[in-house]
Amino acid sequence: MLKDKVALVTGAGRGIGKEIALTLAKNGATVIVNYNGSKESADKVVEEIQANGGNAEAVQCNISDYKASEEFIKNVLAKYKKVDILVNNAGVTRDNLIMRMSEEDYDMVLDTNLKGAFNMIKHLSRSFLKQKSGKIINISSVSGVLGNAGQANYSASKAGLIGLTKSVAREMASRGICVNAVAPGFIDTDMTRALSDDAKESLNKMIPMGRTGNTKEVADLVLFLAGSGSDYITGQVIGVDGGMS
Ligand code: NDP
């Protein structure tokens, strides 16, 4: 399905990003597995892809750093000549009530979740526009759609990603490039495992389907958006949240 396609997935050493990388590779894409701190697990993702006959490479980059991102994309384009599928998945939380939220925690979350996606799209935009095809998939969140008490920084970053998605979709539509956002609900990963039992219980009560989602359920939607079946879909925010939104 994705034979001859090159995919770049940010934050792909763990969690949802890892599942997306494995899924795109299983469907034939060559995958650049970006990581920031988790070298060992990113290397394992690459090994798993290669053991299954696929192509992948782990590349370190702190995507919140504009200059480092520019260098990263320059090297990727020098080696692979193109990127067909960009998945902006890397994300962090630093939860607190607004009254107690530090400036550092606000900036850190915005810099990673929103500016990180800007950095990737900006540095790849010339290449995407030249090749007149491509898929950009931004991993937003139900928190960006509905808001969430205790997550003002995170919700702002994820709502910002939706604005970024819709604007870039309009800019790139005439060149055949699709830009969409995926808004997962409560997915079982390190990010949500860190929540207190009380927080998990109250979150579970908000899910009409009565259960948390898994990484495969997000990756399957990303696979659809990465493939040709979604060629006429752009500027959309698609929830994968058990009915939460
Ligand atoms: P995890 O905490 O399990 O993983 C986060 C990933 O982001 C890691 O691979 C990490 O890389 C990467 N990352 C963080 N900062 C940077 C950075 N500066 N540069 C490059 N990579 C970075 O989170 P999830 O898998 O749960 O989340 C993935 C995405 O899905 C996030 O954007 C999150 O906001 C979103 N999401 C998750 C939900 C959930 O319920 N889990 C719900 C809705 C959205 P490394 O370890 O190498 O530092």
Side-chain angles (χ1 to χ4, degrees):
M1 181 186 170
L2 301 176
K3 200 175 162 290
D4 301 325
K5 303 288 185 197
V6 178
L8 191 171
V9 185
T10 64
R14 304 189 279 127
I16 293 172
K18 170 182 173 181
E19 192 75 37
I20 293 170
L22 294 173
T23 302
L24 297 181
K26 203 184 286 173
N27 283 273
T30 292
V31 182
I32 297 142
V33 175
N34 160 253
Y35 66 95
N36 186 26
S38 305
K39 178 178 179 354
E40 213 173 296
S41 40
D43 286 342
K44 281 204 184 113
V45 174
V46 169
E47 276 168 31
E48 190 175 335
I49 290 172
Q50 288 170 344
N52 290 322
N55 296 318
E57 183 190 8
V59 186
Q60 198 281 336
C61 176
N62 174 357
I63 54 113
S64 69
D65 182 321
Y66 184 85
K67 282 276 170 221
S69 298
E70 188 172 32
E71 196 60 25
F72 168 50
I73 297 299
K74 208 172 87 188
N75 292 337
V76 163
L77 290 176
K79 181 162 179 185
Y80 296 92
K81 310 293 173 221
K82 60 170 188 168
V83 169
D84 301 287
I85 302 155
L86 167 65
V87 185
N88 285 309
N89 164 80
V92 291
T93 50
R94 291 290 181 278
D95 297 351
N96 221 331
L97 295 173
I98 190 93
M99 206 172 69
R100 298 200 195 113
M101 189 173 286
S102 68
E103 184 185 5
E104 289 74 30
D105 282 352
Y106 183 84
D107 287 346
M108 202 269 183
V109 168
L110 268 289
D111 283 352
T112 307
N113 300 3
L114 183 54
K115 192 180 169 200
F118 162 76
N119 287 341
M120 293 297 110
I121 297 171
K122 151 88 190 164
H123 296 311
L124 273 170
S125 56
R126 194 181 298 272
S127 166
F128 270 123
L129 291 170
K130 225 167 95 186
Q131 79 199 22
K132 295 196 176 71
S133 68
K135 306 279 191 178
I136 300 175
I137 301 149
N138 296 320
I139 309 298
S140 177
S141 166
V142 69
S143 295
V145 178
L146 299 180
N148 194 20
Q151 287 198 311
N153 51 358
Y154 183 76
S155 300
S157 72
K158 294 299 186 177
L161 259 184
I162 292 173
L164 183 72
T165 301
K166 291 183 181 231
S167 299
V168 179
R170 286 187 187 278
E171 284 186 24
M172 295 193 171
S174 65
R175 305 285 182 104
I177 298 147
C178 299
V179 189
N180 291 293
V182 167
F186 186 15
I187 311 296
D188 183 27
T189 66
D190 292 344
M191 188 178 270
T192 46
R193 269 171 230 140
L195 292 168
S196 69
D197 286 345
D198 280 357
K200 279 186 203 163
E201 203 183 308
S202 61
L203 267 168
N204 266 326
K205 283 193 192 130
M206 291 163 62
I207 309 171
M209 291 187 112
R211 66 165 178 89
T212 54
N214 59 59
T215 54
K216 184 173 182 302
E217 288 165 325
V218 180
D220 284 345
L221 174 57
V222 171
L223 174 64
F224 167 69
L225 291 172
S228 59
S230 64
D231 280 352
Y232 201 53
I233 300 174
T234 197
Q236 301 304 303
V237 185
I238 306 175
V240 49
D241 63 7
M244 267 177 111
S245 59

